[in-house]
Amino acid sequence: MRRGVVVSLALVAAILAGCRAKEKPPEPGQLVAELRGPDAEKSGRARLQLITLGEAAVPAVTELLRSGTTAERITAANTLWGMGARAQAAVPELVEALADPDPTLRMAAAMALENMGKAAEAAVPALAKALGDREPGVRQAAVKALGAMGPA
């Protein structure tokens, strides 16, 4: 009887140890594919996972910012916004997005740069140019981004 209890306890301990084992993080490319998908719930979960991955996900999200449809590019900029300064490597692509014909994308790019703060200082000239944008939302986002970078 006692031996059976010991074996049972050992089995329970092994199961619990297996449950505690860390899962392999999801692949950013797969998450971007889910982000692009039609299922809003899956897309939202993928966005949160990409934001949580941070720097490791920036190349995949940046590629979507460069090559996706306008709606996908806006989603990519919003995802980079969620990463904050961890998305610093995407600053050049966000600067390019500030010149896009779509005002929603321009505003999303400026907002992502704002959330990076000083990490996006390389974007100052493009943001200064965006102060003259024809869309008030883009101008406002550019002002906020410049303010987030501080007095320098």
Side-chain angles (χ1 to χ4, degrees), residues 2-54:
R2 186 173 185 182
R3 187 174 149 213
V5 171
V6 171
V7 170
S8 295
L9 287 174
L11 182 60
V12 169
I15 291 171
L16 289 175
C19 290
R20 289 187 198 137
K22 290 191 175 185
E23 291 182 23
K24 182 180 175 187
E27 291 294 320
Q30 177 61 38
L31 291 173
V32 167
E34 291 175 16
L35 186 67
R36 296 175 96 159
D39 185 335
E41 187 175 325
K42 264 187 167 179
S43 179
R45 276 197 307 263
R47 181 181 303 184
L48 290 175
Q49 287 180 300
L50 287 163
I51 290 169
T52 301
L53 284 174

Side-chain angles (χ1 to χ4, degrees), residues 20-152:
R20 289 187 198 137
K22 290 191 175 185
E23 291 182 23
K24 182 180 175 187
E27 291 294 320
Q30 177 61 38
L31 291 173
V32 167
E34 291 175 16
L35 186 67
R36 296 175 96 159
D39 185 335
E41 187 175 325
K42 264 187 167 179
S43 179
R45 276 197 307 263
R47 181 181 303 184
L48 290 175
Q49 287 180 300
L50 287 163
I51 290 169
T52 301
L53 284 174
E55 292 93 345
V58 171
V61 177
T62 301
E63 179 56 35
L64 182 60
L65 180 63
R66 276 193 297 268
S67 63
T69 65
T70 300
E72 291 170 344
R73 295 177 72 212
I74 292 166
T75 298
N78 290 335
T79 303
L80 293 167
W81 172 87
M83 293 180 192
R86 297 176 301 152
Q88 180 179 9
V91 168
E93 286 79 8
L94 288 166
V95 165
E96 284 183 33
L98 286 173
D100 193 83
D102 187 273
T104 305
L105 178 56
R106 294 194 309 271
M107 187 165 50
M111 291 172 67
L113 293 166
E114 172 193 357
N115 206 32
M116 290 181 197
K118 290 183 184 246
E121 283 182 330
V124 168
L127 287 165
K129 185 176 180 182
L131 295 175
D133 197 281
R134 65 184 174 278
E135 294 293 328
V138 176
R139 291 193 305 266
Q140 181 181 21
V143 166
K144 287 178 155 185
L146 289 168
M149 292 175 196

